[in-house]
Amino acid sequence: MRWALVRVCLAVTTMVVAAFAIPLGLVIQEMARDRAFSAAERHAAGMGPTLSITTDRTQLDRAVASSEAGGDGRMAVYVPAIGEQPPLRIGERRAAARDVAATRAEGRARTAGVPGGSALLQPFGLSSGEIAVVEIFVPESEVSNGVTTAWLVLAGVGVALIIGSVAVADRLGVRMVQPARRLVGAAHDLGEGKLAARVPEDGPTELRLAAVAFNSMADQVVQLLANERELAADLSHRLRTPLTVLRLNAASLGEGPAAEQTRVAVERLEREVDTIIRTARDAKPQTAAGVHIGPGAGCDAAEVIRERMEFWSALAEDEGREARVAGVEQPVWIPVARADLVAVVDALLGNVFRHTREGAAFAVDVHSGEDAVIVLVSDAGGGIADPQAALARGNSGASSGSTGLGLDIVRRLAESTGGDVRIGRSVLGGTEVRLWIQRDPRRSLAGGRRRGSVRRRGRPRSRPFLKPGAAPPGPR
C-alpha cells in the first residue's frame, strides 16, 4: 500500500510537472526568438530615415557604420539602380539574391535562413519610388539566449517537486500503513490465542477508531473467556456435594479389593475436580501492558477526555462551536477500561453534535472526589423534554431534537461501577448529562449507593470558553 501510494504520487506529479514545464519552456523559447527579431526590426528601422533622404554611398556607409548592428557587421543595405546610378550593396551580404528580390517585389518584411542564424529583410521606399532592402543578421546564439538556462531551471524545479511529492507520499504512506500493519498483526495474534494483543490508538482518524474498536473487542473476548472460566469453576464446585456423599458411601463399604478401588477412584475424581476449580480460577486472561480487565480495570479519565476533545475539536471548528474543558489538568483514575470510556465520551459528544444546532457551545467538566468521579457534559442546545424517556433502553432516537439520545452504553458503564447517569438542565441553557462513576465498585451498598461518602470538591473554577482544539488555561 505504501509503495503503491508512492508510485501513484510519482506518476501524477510527473504528469503535472510535464504538463506545465514543457509548455512554459516552449513559451520562453518563443519569447527569446521574438525578443531577438524585435531588436533586429529596431536596427533596420534606424536606416529608414537615412534611405528616405539620400542614396549616396558615402553617407550610407557612414550611417551603417554608426549603427549598432552595422558596427557589429550584422547589417547590409541593398539599393537598386536609380537612373544612371548603379545598384549599391553596403555591408556584408548573407541573404540570397532571390530573397532580396522577393522582399523588394512583395514590399513587406521577411525572414530568410542563412548560415549561423537568420536574416531579417526589411523593405524601405526611396524618394525615387524604388524599394531598398535592409538586411539584419540575427545569430542563432541571440535567438536562443537564456533558453538553455530557463530549461535547466524548469527541470530543476520539476525534479525538486517530484522528489518532494515522493517524500511526502512516503511519509503519508508510513503514517497510514504502520497502524494498519499493527492492526493486522494484532488480529493475527488474537486469532492465535495471544490475548495480550492490543493496538496503539494512533494514526489517521479512521485507523484510530478501528484500533479503539479492536481493543474494545479484544477486551470483551477476554472478559467472555474469564466468565467462561468462572462458570466452569462454579459448575465444578457443584460436583463437590455428590462427591462427598459418594466418598462417605465408599467408606462404609468395608474392606476388600472392590471397596478399596472404589475409594481410590472417588479420591482421584475429587482431586481432578479440585484441579479444575483451581485451574479455572487461577487462569487469568493475559492482557497487554497497562490494560486490565475485570475488577482491576482502569484508565486515566483526564487523559481520555483531553484526547477525545482534541479529536472532536475539528468538527467543532467547522460548525463554529466553542468548547470548554475543565478538571483534566491532573490524572483522574477510574475503574473503567480505556476503550469503554472512549466509547462513552464519543457517544456523549456525538449526541451534542447530532441533536443541537450548529454553533451551540458545549463543555466537559470533570469533578474528582475520594469515592467517585463525576463527568458533566453540557451544551447550549434546546434541552430534553423527557429525560427519563431518553435514558430508557430502546428509546434512542424516538423523537426529533435532543431526545434522540443513545445513552444505553453510558448507563451500562456507569452502573457497572455502582454509579448512574442523570439528565438535567445545564448552565449553558441546554442539556447536562451527569455521569457518576464509583472509584471502588465494591464499596457500593445494597439498596443504595454511598453518595454521602463522596467528598465534593465543588465545581472547577470558572474558565473562559476556548476555541476548539485550544488547551485549557493554567491555574489562576
Side-chain angles (χ1 to χ4, degrees):
M1 179 179 178
R2 171 185 174 185
W3 295 116
L5 180 62
V6 171
R7 286 194 296 268
V8 170
C9 185
L10 176 62
V12 172
T13 306
T14 302
M15 288 189 295
V16 171
V17 169
F20 281 93
I22 293 177
L24 184 59
L26 295 177
V27 169
I28 293 174
Q29 184 175 347
E30 188 65 26
M31 290 176 61
R33 178 181 177 83
D34 291 344
R35 182 175 62 248
F37 279 94
S38 295
E41 290 176 357
R42 288 196 303 272
H43 294 318
M47 287 297 298
T50 302
L51 290 172
S52 64
I53 295 174
T54 181
T55 57
D56 182 68
R57 184 182 187 87
T58 303
Q59 295 183 5
L60 291 178
D61 285 337
R62 187 182 301 114
V64 170
S66 62
S67 66
E68 180 180 351
D72 294 338
R74 296 188 293 111
M75 177 184 287
V77 178
Y78 305 93
V79 180
I82 303 174
E84 297 180 356
Q85 181 180 347
L88 300 178
R89 189 185 70 184
I90 302 172
E92 184 178 354
R93 176 177 177 176
R94 292 182 175 85
R98 64 178 180 276
D99 293 327
V100 175
T103 302
R104 184 178 289 119
E106 294 175 359
R108 58 186 179 87
R110 64 183 299 169
T111 302
V114 298
S118 302
L120 174 68
L121 301 175
Q122 181 70 47
F124 289 97
L126 303 177
S127 58
S128 62
E130 301 292 335
I131 301 296
V133 177
V134 177
E135 174 191 328
I136 303 295
F137 173 63
V138 181
E140 189 65 31
S141 59
E142 187 173 343
V143 173
S144 61
N145 183 27
V147 175
T148 303
T149 303
W151 277 107
L152 292 176
V153 171
L154 289 175
V157 172
V159 171
L161 288 175
I162 292 173
I163 294 175
S165 66
V166 169
V168 171
D170 182 68
R171 290 300 89 198
L172 291 176
V174 170
R175 185 170 179 266
M176 294 177 62
V177 169
Q178 286 184 347
R181 287 179 176 174
R182 288 196 296 262
L183 184 60
V184 171
H188 282 299
D189 292 340
L190 187 63
E192 293 174 357
K194 299 177 182 178
L195 302 182
R198 294 296 184 275
V199 183
E201 298 171 2
D202 56 10
T205 302
E206 294 78 7
L207 291 176
R208 185 164 65 248
L209 293 177
V212 171
F214 176 85
N215 292 338
S216 179
M217 178 196 69
D219 292 342
Q220 293 178 9
V221 169
V222 172
Q223 186 62 51
L224 290 174
L225 291 177
N227 294 339
E228 289 182 0
R229 290 189 177 97
E230 191 65 27
L231 178 60
D234 292 341
L235 293 176
S236 301
H237 188 273
R238 296 180 184 180
L239 295 176
R240 282 184 170 178
T241 299
L243 281 176
T244 302
V245 175
L246 185 58
R247 181 168 53 83
L248 294 176
N249 291 338
S252 64
L253 292 177
E255 300 298 333
E260 185 63 25
Q261 291 177 0
T262 302
R263 284 191 289 269
V264 171
V266 171
E267 291 176 359
R268 183 179 301 171
L269 181 59
E270 194 169 16
R271 285 196 303 270
E272 292 296 334
V273 171
D274 291 339
T275 301
I276 293 175
I277 295 174
R278 286 194 300 270
T279 301
R281 289 186 172 173
D282 293 342
K284 296 181 179 179
Q286 297 178 353
T287 60
V291 179
H292 305 280
I293 303 298
C299 68
D300 182 5
E303 187 270 335
V304 171
I305 291 175
R306 286 197 304 269
E307 189 263 337
R308 300 321 295 162
M309 285 291 286
E310 181 180 359
F311 170 76
W312 285 97
S313 64
L315 181 57
E317 184 176 7
D318 292 340
E319 295 188 358
R321 297 176 183 268
E322 292 183 338
R324 177 173 64 83
V325 59
V328 295
E329 297 81 6
Q330 300 296 328
V332 179
W333 199 259
I334 58 175
V336 174
R338 188 183 191 280
D340 294 338
L341 184 60
V342 167
V344 166
V345 175
D346 284 346
L348 292 174
L349 295 180
N351 285 333
V352 173
F353 284 84
R354 283 192 298 269
H355 302 293
T356 62
R357 69 185 186 281
E358 289 190 7
F362 65 97
V364 178
D365 297 328
V366 179
H367 302 252
S368 179
E370 291 181 351
D371 299 334
V373 173
I374 301 175
V375 179
L376 299 176
V377 178
S378 309
D379 63 62
I384 298 178
D386 191 351
Q388 296 300 324
L391 284 173
R393 185 180 181 91
N395 280 349
S396 178
S399 61
S400 61
S402 297
T403 59
L405 299 173
L407 294 175
D408 188 55
I409 184 175
V410 182
R411 178 181 56 80
R412 285 188 283 111
L413 180 137
E415 292 178 352
S416 68
T417 67
D420 64 4
V421 177
R422 300 263 180 106
I423 298 178
R425 177 69 65 174
S426 72
V427 295
L428 302 179
T431 303
E432 180 183 87
V433 179
R434 189 200 69 172
L435 175 62
W436 181 293
I437 301 174
Q438 288 283 105
R439 285 186 179 269
D440 187 356
R442 294 172 297 183
R443 300 177 64 177
S444 179
L445 301 179
R449 299 175 179 84
R450 297 174 55 189
R451 295 186 183 129
S453 63
V454 178
R455 186 182 67 182
R456 299 181 183 272
R457 296 184 181 179
R459 298 183 66 86
R461 287 175 293 181
S462 175
R463 303 193 180 205
F465 272 88
L466 305 176
K467 291 293 183 183
R476 296 180 181 177

